Amino acid sequence: MSHVAMEKSPGLSHDQKLHLSDIAQRLVATGKGILASDESNATMGKRLRSINVENHEENRRTFRQILFTTNDINQWIGGILFFHETFYQQTDDGNPFVQFVKDRGILVGIKLDKGTVPIPGMEGETTTQGLDGLGERCAQYKRDGADFAKWRCVFRISDHHPSAMAICENACVLGSFAAICQENGLVPIIEPEILTDGKHDLARCQYVTETVLAGVYKVLNDRHVYLEGTLLKPNMVTAGVCHNHLYSPEDIAMATCTALRRTVPIAVPGIVFLSGGQSEDEASVNLNAINSCPCPKVWKLSFSFGRALQTSALFAWSGRQESYYDGQDAFARRAQINSLACQGLYNTNPESGPAHYHHYYMY
Ligand SMILES: O=P(O)(O)OC[C@@]1(O)O[C@H](CO)[C@@H](O)[C@@H]1O
């Protein structure tokens, strides 16, 4: 039998690969993570409703401006994820947001998926739409200043979910997204989010996370995706919100690291967690515990938080012009804390003794 050696990612030149891996590494440079301010207008509506502010374009722009123009955020934030509307908005003095952010050394990203839709016949399981015309959209955003992009697929846990079919369907969609992005010079951020809805325990979430990630990396390999030029945006491994036992940050960290170690190739430069409805401090404490976890880890373990970076800023501002800078102070604080947490340096209680990590290898 003869063997033909095939190059991985044959569609990408040496220079294209270098460009992609350089972007990916800059996004997760030590002490840096990503601000996910890519909420759709509908999701932004929910956020603004929580502070009794009307959901219109100017209010969405003002809140994003508060975040992007906060002093010194380039020390803690390597990239900002935009939604289409924000991508073409400007600061009060007419500077395009994209240019403003890039001038501060922060990379610009774009949410490319067009949201979830049910998979017919699959009891409410979903896939994510937006692949039609994706190549042209990628090329346009790249010309307009983007260097990375994000695509979110969603899974829920029950006794018999996610199904093998939903895992396969979503892994294929993520593989197509990643390959198309890379052809167009964008680093794909691959986000297979497992929701926290449900009453499952930590071990069940770990098992499902491992199964989903194994499916995703099988397809990325089949599609010849250049892993050095990608980032993964997963959920942390946590119990369902209706589970009756409270796990410690060390338990969550060990379960998360174990799941990642079993499934994510070491060629991937960084893993940037979503916050998934955790409180701001929970997300930071868990991220810190993940980075302090005493098991071998090869990737940068950082953040791509939405709510866990923005909630206190949103409430501090609350739509009041006079609270503009309170919003910025609150955002700067969260960004700084998460910068420490992604280095394992966020110490909430200096009096406490050494953290106690159990082993989850048996699950
Ligand atoms: O879970 P979080 O950290 O708030 O947000 C994570 C995230 O992927 O989910 C949101 C909804 O799609 C996006 O805006 C954001 O990028």
Side-chain angles (χ1 to χ4, degrees):
M1 195 166 86
S2 70
H3 292 278
V4 182
M6 293 238 331
E7 193 197 335
K8 277 287 173 194
S9 322
L12 299 174
S13 68
H14 179 69
D15 284 352
Q16 283 175 304
K17 289 180 186 172
L18 272 183
H19 180 61
L20 292 168
S21 64
D22 175 62
I23 295 167
Q25 283 168 34
R26 281 171 61 196
L27 286 168
V28 290
T30 302
K32 292 191 183 176
I34 295 171
L35 163 65
S37 59
D38 61 327
E39 298 85 357
S40 64
N41 290 348
T43 303
M44 217 33 216
K46 285 192 221 158
R47 307 280 182 268
L48 292 173
R49 225 176 357 265
S50 70
I51 53 164
N52 294 319
V53 168
E54 207 184 320
N55 182 22
H56 58 62
E57 185 172 348
E58 180 52 16
N59 284 338
R60 294 191 292 270
R61 190 197 67 84
T62 303
F63 181 59
R64 263 70 181 253
Q65 176 173 261
I66 289 177
L67 303 176
F68 304 162
T69 61
T70 297
N71 284 334
D72 297 330
I73 53 163
N74 49 351
Q75 291 178 29
W76 317 302
I77 302 288
I80 297 182
L81 264 168
F82 285 70
F83 182 65
H84 178 82
E85 175 185 273
T86 325
F87 195 89
Y88 293 104
Q89 285 175 328
Q90 305 182 342
T91 59
D92 285 344
D93 46 10
N95 196 355
F97 277 153
V98 166
Q99 199 51 49
F100 180 86
V101 161
K102 284 170 81 96
D103 287 347
R104 305 176 85 194
I106 297 174
L107 292 164
V108 167
I110 179 77
K111 169 192 166 80
L112 285 180
D113 68 77
K114 294 192 167 179
T116 57
V117 282
I119 307 174
M122 293 308 296
E123 290 182 41
E125 291 190 293
T126 60
T127 184
T128 301
Q129 56 191 352
L131 287 178
D132 285 355
L134 185 59
E136 291 81 53
R137 289 167 62 217
C138 284
Q140 186 67 49
Y141 286 123
K142 182 76 186 180
R143 275 196 295 276
D144 293 345
D147 279 314
F148 68 103
K150 192 204 81 167
W151 187 287
R152 175 173 176 259
C153 286
V154 180
F155 302 89
R156 71 186 165 93
I157 298 183
S158 77
D159 288 348
H160 41 273
H161 294 108
S163 64
M165 196 272 154
I167 293 174
C168 176
E169 159 69 24
N170 282 287
C172 287
V173 168
L174 285 166
S176 297
F177 151 75
I180 295 169
C181 275
Q182 290 195 329
E183 275 178 0
N184 288 284
L186 298 175
V187 164
I189 300 199
I190 295 150
E191 182 180 12
E193 173 171 5
I194 300 166
L195 299 175
T196 56
D197 302 0
K199 51 183 176 23
H200 51 274
D201 63 9
L202 191 66
R204 172 86 180 129
C205 182
Q206 182 184 323
Y207 177 83
V208 171
T209 303
E210 288 175 13
T211 310
V212 167
L213 292 179
V216 168
Y217 281 102
K218 167 75 175 107
V219 173
L220 295 182
N221 183 282
D222 291 345
R223 294 294 305 256
H224 302 129
V225 170
Y226 174 60
L227 293 180
E228 290 83 347
T230 64
L231 295 176
L232 174 69
K233 176 164 173 168
N235 49 285
M236 295 180 191
V237 174
T238 61
V241 282
C242 298
H243 187 65
N244 50 18
H245 176 78
L246 207 60
Y247 293 91
S248 69
E250 290 76 27
D251 288 341
I252 288 168
M254 185 57 86
T256 303
C257 290
T258 304
L260 296 173
R261 279 166 44 79
R262 287 175 177 171
T263 53
V264 184
I266 64 176
V268 173
I271 297 174
V272 288
F273 294 99
L274 58 96
S275 60
Q278 298 180 55
S279 73
E280 287 180 320
D281 213 51
E282 248 179 302
S284 307
V285 166
N286 288 337
L287 179 61
N288 192 68
I290 287 169
N291 277 286
S292 310
C293 185
C295 64
K297 301 179 288 301
V298 288
W299 334 265
K300 287 287 181 59
L301 292 159
S302 188
F303 56 90
S304 172
F305 293 159
R307 286 161 287 183
L309 270 171
Q310 299 180 47
T311 303
S312 52
L314 187 69
F315 279 84
W317 169 56
S318 282
R320 297 180 299 255
Q321 179 55 33
E322 67 275 18
S323 302
Y324 193 93
Y325 297 106
D326 298 331
Q328 294 199 321
D329 290 346
F331 173 51
R333 185 173 151 70
R334 284 327 309 175
Q336 212 169 350
I337 285 174
N338 287 309
S339 167
L340 292 171
C342 69
Q343 302 171 81
L345 299 174
Y346 176 42
N347 194 352
T348 40
N349 181 6
E351 306 297 302
S352 63
H356 188 67
Y357 286 86
H358 296 279
H359 287 283
Y360 273 81
Y361 303 126
M362 57 275 212
Y363 289 123

